[in-house]
Amino acid sequence: MEVSEEIVQKIQKFAQNRQAAEKESASEPLRATNLHAYTHRLDETLRELQEQVRRQEDDLKKLREIRSHGLLDNSNDLWVRVAQARRAKRAYDSLLQAEDDLPPTGSILPSLIAVEDTSQLIRESKVSVVVTAEKLSTDRERLRVEEANLRDSRAIANGLRERIQRIRDTNARKQKQTPSQVAQEVVKDQKKKNKEMDRASADLKVSLDGFIDETLAPMLAAEDLGGPTVGDALEVLDATLKAGYTAHGKPKKQKLPAEPEDGGQQRIDQFLQRNDDSSNPTNKREAAATEVHKLLDALLEAGNSYVDLERDSAASRFLVRAKVAQFHPRDARRLRLVDFGRSLGD
């Protein structure tokens, strides 16, 4: 089948327009708003075509109603019928000679249009897949959160049911007991709670003493000597404390001590002296630890009362900064523990 040059040019123009449309679509990917606008334009075009079809149907109906000079005129005059036949022949001839807007049989234009529609459908499907995947991920995350909330709700409900059942069992058991038995059980529970609290307090005291002796005491001693504030230098050596600090808070250079002739005997004497009186601190770190222990013991024994301080020490300042204790509003030489059940202003 031969294809005319005009059809080839039309196909080439269509291909060029299609490529330009693909480049424009690639430069600006379809989004939800673009798809919505495209769908809206399609709906408007469809409504316009339907309106045009309705108008043409109305015109056709009006033409059919006019029979005075139409082919359906049942006139008995022979010349009138011949005139009608001639007009019909001229009309059919003009239609046959007119150029048909539809592509001829075997044209590749329908295939190209089908390919274009298929490509458009594929692009829209890809965009829809991406949007659906994002929504699916969000829905899955929400599902995991809801499942976690459901598990928590079920655990809370089970705990409440068990708690209610225990209370009911306890009330039922108490109703069967005499007042003396109930009192004995309450006293037993209270003693058990007191023992657990004493054990927890002892463990906490051991942990606190270890923290003070190993970590806090060197930093307090350094602050007392004019060094960094507690927390600025996390590791302070005994040699640094022995050497001291400068006026600017810098560690002094350590000097190598001269070894005496009877140095071994002197170390033995110092060791024996430490064993004889363990309460006396042997260095500044132990002195700072002893001071903190004494201050905490005094504050705990005083309760809500104020304790008189012998001097302004790094230990007292640290307790105030840590919001463990507070100074007297009008006397900074008095200190007491913070009442954690109330605010500082009470």
Side-chain angles (χ1 to χ4, degrees):
M1 181 184 67
E2 295 182 358
V3 181
S4 63
E5 185 66 22
E6 184 180 0
I7 295 176
V8 173
Q9 292 178 358
K10 289 182 178 180
I11 294 174
Q12 290 177 352
K13 185 177 180 180
F14 174 78
Q16 292 175 358
N17 294 334
R18 179 173 174 272
Q19 291 177 358
E22 289 179 353
K23 290 181 180 179
E24 183 179 359
S25 177
S27 61
E28 185 179 358
L30 291 177
R31 300 176 183 176
T33 55
N34 296 335
L35 290 175
H36 181 72
Y38 177 72
T39 306
H40 182 70
R41 288 197 300 269
L42 286 180
D43 294 338
E44 291 292 336
T45 304
L46 180 60
R47 283 194 293 270
E48 292 177 359
L49 292 175
Q50 290 176 350
E51 183 65 21
Q52 185 177 358
V53 170
R54 187 184 61 79
R55 290 196 301 269
Q56 291 179 354
E57 289 179 351
D58 294 340
D59 294 340
L60 181 60
K61 185 177 180 181
K62 291 178 181 179
L63 289 176
R64 288 176 178 175
E65 291 176 354
I66 300 174
R67 296 173 176 268
S68 58
H69 301 287
L71 296 176
L72 300 178
D73 190 4
N74 297 324
S75 177
N76 294 325
D77 190 353
L78 180 61
W79 294 106
V80 173
R81 296 176 64 85
V82 170
Q84 291 177 354
R86 288 176 178 175
R87 289 196 297 270
K89 181 179 180 300
R90 286 195 297 270
Y92 288 136
D93 291 339
S94 63
L95 291 175
L96 291 175
Q97 294 176 0
E99 183 179 358
D100 194 0
D101 294 334
L102 298 177
T105 305
S107 175
I108 61 174
L109 184 59
S111 300
L112 293 176
I113 295 175
V115 170
E116 178 66 20
D117 293 339
T118 305
S119 301
Q120 180 69 20
L121 182 61
I122 290 173
R123 288 193 294 270
E124 294 177 359
S125 300
K126 289 181 179 179
V127 174
S128 178
V129 167
V130 173
V131 174
T132 305
E134 294 177 355
K135 186 177 180 181
L136 180 61
S137 178
T138 304
D139 293 341
R140 286 178 177 175
E141 183 65 24
R142 183 178 178 184
L143 178 61
R144 286 194 291 269
V145 173
E146 294 296 336
E147 288 178 349
N149 293 335
L150 179 60
R151 289 193 297 269
D152 294 340
S153 301
R154 288 178 177 175
I156 293 173
N158 293 332
L160 290 175
R161 283 195 291 267
E162 294 176 358
R163 177 64 176 169
I164 292 172
Q165 187 62 36
R166 286 197 300 270
I167 293 174
R168 289 177 178 175
D169 296 340
T170 302
N171 292 335
R173 186 174 64 254
K174 287 182 178 180
Q175 290 177 359
K176 297 179 181 178
Q177 293 177 347
T178 60
S180 60
Q181 291 176 346
V182 174
Q184 290 177 359
E185 186 175 356
V186 172
V187 171
K188 184 179 179 181
D189 293 340
Q190 189 62 36
K191 288 181 178 180
K192 183 178 179 181
K193 292 179 180 179
N194 291 338
K195 289 181 179 179
E196 293 178 355
M197 187 174 296
D198 293 339
R199 184 169 58 253
S201 300
D203 295 340
L204 183 61
K205 184 67 168 57
V206 171
S207 301
L208 180 61
D209 292 340
F211 170 74
I212 292 174
D213 295 336
E214 297 176 4
T215 305
L216 185 61
M219 293 188 285
L220 291 174
E223 185 177 348
D224 276 332
L225 293 174
T229 307
V230 175
D232 292 343
L234 300 181
E235 294 184 2
V236 181
L237 301 179
D238 291 343
T240 304
L241 297 177
K242 185 176 180 180
Y245 292 87
T246 63
H248 298 286
K250 302 295 183 180
K252 292 182 179 180
K253 294 182 179 180
Q254 302 177 12
K255 298 181 180 180
L256 295 176
E259 185 69 22
E261 295 180 358
D262 56 347
Q265 182 63 35
Q266 184 178 2
R267 286 194 296 272
I268 293 174
D269 295 339
Q270 291 177 355
F271 178 73
L272 293 176
Q273 184 180 1
R274 266 203 284 338
N275 288 337
D276 293 338
D277 190 8
S278 60
S279 62
N280 295 327
T282 59
N283 53 33
K284 297 177 181 179
R285 175 177 55 81
E286 293 181 359
T290 302
E291 183 179 5
V292 176
H293 287 305
K294 289 182 179 180
L295 181 58
L296 285 176
D297 292 339
L299 290 173
L300 290 174
E301 291 177 0
N304 293 330
S305 301
Y306 286 95
V307 174
D308 295 330
L309 299 176
E310 298 179 358
R311 66 184 184 90
D312 182 19
S313 62
S316 61
R317 293 193 299 271
F318 171 74
L319 292 178
V320 173
R321 288 197 303 270
K323 300 188 183 302
V324 175
Q326 61 181 359
F327 289 116
H328 192 276
R330 293 182 296 274
D331 189 358
R333 292 174 300 178
R334 302 180 66 189
L335 188 71
R336 74 169 182 179
L337 289 176
V338 173
D339 188 358
F340 295 100
R342 295 182 297 177
S343 63
L344 293 176
D346 292 339

